[in-house]
Amino acid sequence: MHALRLLPAALLLATACGTTSDSGPIIGLITKTETNPFFVKMKEGADATAKAKGATLLAGAGRNDGDNAGQVTALENQVAAGAKAVLISVSDAKAIVPAIRKAREAGVLVIALDSPTDPLDATDAFFGTDNYKAGELIGAYAKARLGGAPAKIVTIDLIPGNPTGAQRHNGFLQGFGLASFDRSHNDLAQPPEVVCMGDGVGDQAKAQTVMENCLQQHPEVNVVYTINEPSGAGAWNALKKAGREKDVLIVSVDGGCRGVQDVAEGKLAATAQQYPLHMAELGVEAAMTFITSGKKPSGYTDTGVALVAATAAAGVTSLSPAEGAQRCWGTK
Amino acid sequence: MSRRARQLATLGPVLALIAASTFFALQSPRFLTGENLSLILQQVMVVGVLAIGQTLVILTAGIDLSCGMVMALGGVVMALLATRGGLSPALAIGAGVGVTTVAGFLNGLLITRIKLPPFIVTLGTMNIAFALTQLVSHSQSVTDLPPLLTLLGDTVSVGRTPVAYGVMAMLVLYGLAWWLLRETAGGRHLYATGNAPEAARLSGIATARVLLAVYTLAGACYGVAALLGVARTGVGDPQAGQTENLDTVTAVVLGGTSLFGGRGVILGSLVGALIVGVFRNGLTLMGVSSVYQILVTGVLVILAVSLDQSARRAR
C-alpha cells in the first residue's frame, strides 16, 4: 500500500534526475564561505565557464572560514547529486582529506582551488596562487622602497599553522633579503629585523589591535607586512591614530578591489594580486576535460600573481592601481 | 573554607587582573604607560558593552548567543542608512540601536511567551541576525561613513593620556547598570528571578516581565556596542561579531558572575573583559605568540567556573 503510494513520487524523482542529466554534466564547487568577495568572484567565474561548456554548476560552502563539517556535508551532497568533478577551496587542509578520499573512491575528480590539502596529493590537482611568490614580490618591493634604511618590521599574520599564512610571511622575508624559511615550512621565521609579530586572523579590527599593541613597544617601525588587505586597512587605522600613516610602508596580499583602491589612495604601499576568476575557469575546464575524455589533471598549476603599486620601485615590475583595478575581484 | 571560597569568587577577578598587570609591568616598561592602558580600554570597549547585556541575561540564569550577530546587524544597518540610505547620521544610529533593541525584545518574547530555553532561542536569532546582516549588506563592508558614526572611536587627552569617547560611554553604561541592579526594585527583582524563579513568582514578582525587560535592555546594549564597533574600525562590517558572543560569556564568567543565575556583580564583567584585554596586549608587548593568550584565557575560564562551583557548594 505504502509502496504503491510512493510509486508516482519515485517516478517523478526519476524524471527529475533525468532532467538534470539532460542539462549537462554536474560540476561541484565548494568554497570556504558564501560571503567572502574572493569566493563570490570565484563562483561567478566557475558558473560562467560551466554554462559556456554546457555543464551545471552546484555551489556549496562552509558556514565560515574553518567550518570543515559544512564543507564535508556539501561534498557528500554534491557527490550524491551526481557530480563528476568537484572543485574545492578547503578550509581545513587535513580534516577534509578523508571526505575527499571517499569522493575520489567513488570515481569523482577532485581539484583543490586556492588552498591546497595536506598532503597535496589528497586531491587530483591543485590550482592556486603561489603564495610564497606573492610574499616575495611585496618583500622585494618594500626593500626597494625602503632604500638603505635599517628595517624595523611588523608582521600581521593569519593564524598559527596555516600554510598560506606561513608561505606569504616567509616569502615576504625572503623577498626582503632577510633570513627566512623555505616554502615547505609551516612556521613563521623571525629574523631580528622583525620587531613584532601578531595574528590578526585576516580581520580588520583584530589586525588594528595587533598593530596598536606593536606600536606601543616598537614606535620605530617602518615596514608592516599584512596577510591580507583588510588586515592592511586595520594596520593603517592604528598608524593613523598614532600619526604615523605617512612614514610607514604597509604591504599586503590579495588584490581585491577595496585593497587596490587602498593602494591608489596611498594607504597600502603595494599588494600582491591573485586571480580567483582564473582559478575557477581553469578548474572548470579541467573538470570538463576529465568528464569528456577521462583525462585527469595532476600536480600544481600556478594561477598567477602580480604586484600592484602606486609608486613604482627600481628593479621591481608592478601594475599601476588602474591596471590592478581592471583585474581586481569584489565590488569595484 | 566556605566563606573563603565565596570571597575568592568575588575578589578573584580583581586579584587576577592586578597579578597579570603587575607581571606585564615587570616584563615591559611600555605596559603601564597611560597610552597603553588607554589602548587596552579601547580594545575591550566593544566586548565590554556587549558583556553588560550578557551579564543581565546570565544573572537571570539565561544566556544570549545572539549578541555578536545582533551587534553586526545593528552596525551594518546604521552604516547603510547613513551612507546609501540618505538618513541623517543621528537617525541612522537610532535606527541601528532600534533594530538591536527589537531583536532583544523578540528574544525575550519567545523565551517568556513560548517558554523556549534561552540557549535555543538565541541560537536561532543568532543565525537569523547573521543571515539578515549578509542580506542587507550583500556581504560587503560599508565604508565612507559620516564622522558622527566614528566619533566614539576618537580620543580626547585627559592630562597626557588619550581617552576614547567610546571608553567613557562604556564606563557610563557600567555605572548605569550598576545603579540599576543595586538601587532599584527592578534590579532586586532581577536577582530574585535568577536565584529562584518559582519563589520569586510566588512572592509576587512578575518574572516574565522582568525577563522581557532584561532581553530588551540587553538588545539596546548590543546597539551601543554596534556603534562602538563601527567607530573603532571605521566600517560597517558584515563579518563582525562572529566570536564576540562567546567572548562576552568569557568576560562574564571571569568576572565572577554565576552561570546558574542570581549571583554576580556587573562591574566584575568589566574586570573580566579587561583580564582578556590585558593578556592580549601584554603578551604582544612581550613578543609571545597569541596562542598562549588563548591558552591562558581557557585556563582562567575553567578556574573561574570552579571557584563559582565551590562557592555554590559552600552555601
Side-chain angles (χ1 to χ4, degrees):
Chain A
M1 177 65 191
H2 278 107
L4 276 178
R5 268 209 203 144
L6 282 176
L7 200 63
L11 279 174
L12 208 70
L13 205 69
T15 337
C17 288
T19 327
T20 314
S21 65
D22 282 343
S23 63
I26 300 173
I27 298 171
L29 172 72
I30 301 170
T31 50
K32 293 185 189 177
T33 70
E34 310 262 19
T35 53
N36 182 327
F38 183 87
F39 294 117
V40 172
K41 195 69 182 182
M42 185 185 269
K43 191 171 136 190
E44 276 173 28
D47 225 4
T49 314
K51 276 212 183 77
K53 302 241 170 212
T56 304
L57 188 84
L58 285 183
R63 161 73 190 266
N64 47 31
D65 206 336
D67 178 13
N68 184 62
Q71 289 202 323
V72 171
T73 309
L75 180 59
E76 290 166 348
N77 290 343
Q78 291 183 354
V79 171
K84 300 272 184 289
V86 174
L87 316 169
I88 180 167
S89 183
V90 301
S91 265
D92 188 321
K94 284 197 176 89
I96 192 77
V97 169
I100 290 180
R101 191 186 303 132
K102 255 174 68 186
R104 290 179 71 192
E105 278 166 5
V108 177
L109 176 83
V110 180
I111 298 174
L113 285 191
D114 171 56
S115 305
T117 49
D118 181 11
L120 186 67
D121 63 6
T123 54
D124 289 287
F126 168 47
F127 296 174
T129 305
D130 182 341
N131 283 298
Y132 200 83
K133 192 159 113 196
E136 283 180 317
L137 285 175
I138 54 175
Y141 178 84
K143 172 76 178 167
R145 280 287 304 276
L146 200 59
K152 299 282 182 187
I153 302 171
V154 167
T155 68
I156 301 181
D157 300 296
L158 191 60
I159 45 168
N162 180 288
T164 304
Q167 284 170 18
R168 288 182 187 175
H169 175 104
N170 293 333
F172 166 79
L173 295 175
Q174 179 73 35
F176 207 100
L178 301 172
S180 184
F181 295 135
D182 65 39
R183 60 179 67 226
S184 66
H185 253 79
N186 230 355
D187 293 323
L188 307 180
Q190 188 174 16
E193 290 83 358
V194 174
V195 294
C196 190
M197 287 168 61
D199 292 336
V201 207
D203 172 83
Q204 179 169 342
K206 292 189 177 72
Q208 182 175 336
T209 301
V210 171
M211 189 70 221
E212 287 168 349
N213 289 343
C214 283
L215 268 177
Q216 285 298 302
Q217 185 80 334
H218 301 284
E220 75 285 6
V221 54
N222 51 19
V223 174
V224 181
Y225 152 86
T226 55
I227 182 73
N228 66 359
E229 286 147 3
S231 304
W236 186 84
N237 262 355
L239 287 165
K240 181 162 194 317
K241 283 187 174 174
R244 296 289 314 282
E245 79 275 19
K246 295 269 186 281
D247 49 33
V248 178
L249 285 171
I250 307 175
V251 291
S252 196
V253 179
D254 251 357
C257 296
R258 181 79 217 161
V260 171
Q261 199 187 324
D262 282 349
V263 172
E265 289 171 5
K267 293 181 178 175
L268 301 178
T271 191
Q273 186 168 49
Q274 43 177 353
Y275 300 102
L277 203 64
H278 190 47
M279 287 174 202
E281 287 165 359
L282 289 179
V284 173
E285 279 167 12
M288 283 307 286
T289 305
F290 167 73
I291 291 165
T292 51
S293 73
K295 198 168 151 274
K296 287 185 175 182
S298 67
Y300 167 56
T301 305
D302 184 353
T303 51
V305 59
L307 188 72
V308 180
T311 311
V316 188
T317 316
S318 60
L319 302 176
S320 71
E323 289 167 313
Q326 280 174 3
R327 305 165 70 181
C328 71
W329 45 268
T331 309
K332 296 200 187 194
Chain B
M1 174 62 204
S2 68
R3 191 184 294 165
R4 258 174 67 198
R6 215 181 311 169
Q7 278 174 344
L8 208 55
T10 320
L11 272 180
V14 180
L15 292 178
L17 181 61
I18 292 171
S21 303
T22 312
F23 174 73
F24 288 120
L26 291 173
Q27 296 295 319
S28 166
R30 301 283 319 172
F31 180 78
L32 272 188
T33 59
E35 213 190 343
N36 192 53
L37 296 179
S38 157
L39 201 57
I40 296 173
L41 281 166
Q42 288 175 52
Q43 291 172 356
V44 304
M45 68 187 181
V46 173
V47 168
V49 168
L50 284 174
I52 295 175
Q54 188 72 270
T55 311
L56 297 180
V57 169
I58 289 181
L59 279 174
T60 67
I63 195 156
D64 191 343
L65 298 178
S66 71
C67 63
M69 297 303 185
V70 167
M71 173 190 80
L73 178 62
V76 163
V77 164
M78 55 181 78
L80 278 174
L81 288 178
T83 52
R84 270 161 254 168
L87 221 57
S88 83
L91 281 178
I93 292 170
V97 177
V99 164
T100 63
T101 309
V102 168
F105 176 76
L106 290 176
N107 274 338
L109 212 58
L110 290 168
I111 288 162
T112 55
R113 290 292 152 83
I114 313 185
K115 309 251 189 289
L116 299 174
F119 189 92
I120 299 303
V121 168
T122 59
L123 186 65
T125 47
M126 171 183 94
N127 286 295
I128 294 167
F130 174 80
L132 288 178
T133 307
Q134 305 307 320
L135 288 173
V136 298
S137 69
H138 301 285
S139 302
Q140 300 284 331
S141 296
V142 188
T143 53
D144 303 315
L145 305 178
L148 190 65
L149 263 73
T150 55
L151 175 75
L152 288 174
D154 294 344
T155 54
V156 56
S157 287
V158 177
R160 289 188 55 200
T161 305
V163 179
Y165 294 112
V167 170
M168 295 187 216
M170 172 181 76
L171 295 177
V172 167
L173 279 182
Y174 268 96
L176 266 175
W178 182 80
W179 172 82
L180 190 84
L181 284 172
R182 199 184 159 88
E183 302 292 336
T184 67
R188 284 190 294 276
H189 289 175
L190 194 157
Y191 273 103
T193 304
N195 216 356
E198 192 55 21
R201 198 181 58 80
L202 291 175
S203 66
I205 293 173
T207 52
R209 270 176 58 191
V210 170
L211 286 181
L212 194 59
V214 161
Y215 282 91
T216 310
L217 265 180
C221 286
Y222 308 153
V224 179
L227 181 59
L228 289 173
V230 167
R232 190 170 143 67
T233 56
V235 293
D237 180 6
Q239 306 297 335
Q242 309 223 7
T243 54
E244 275 78 355
N245 48 0
L246 293 180
D247 287 353
T248 60
V249 177
T250 302
V252 173
V253 168
L254 286 183
T257 293
S258 172
L259 282 173
F260 309 101
R263 244 167 349 96
V265 186
I266 187 92
L267 294 179
S269 300
L270 178 58
V271 176
L274 282 171
I275 291 173
V276 177
V278 159
F279 270 99
R280 185 172 50 201
N281 175 273
L283 290 175
T284 314
L285 292 189
M286 282 173 64
V288 176
S289 159
S290 50
V291 182
Y292 289 97
Q293 181 230 324
I294 302 170
L295 189 136
V296 169
T297 310
V299 171
L300 286 177
V301 165
I302 291 175
L303 208 64
V305 178
S306 324
L307 283 175
D308 178 39
Q309 273 285 18
S310 54
R312 256 170 77 84
R313 267 192 228 111
R315 280 205 298 179

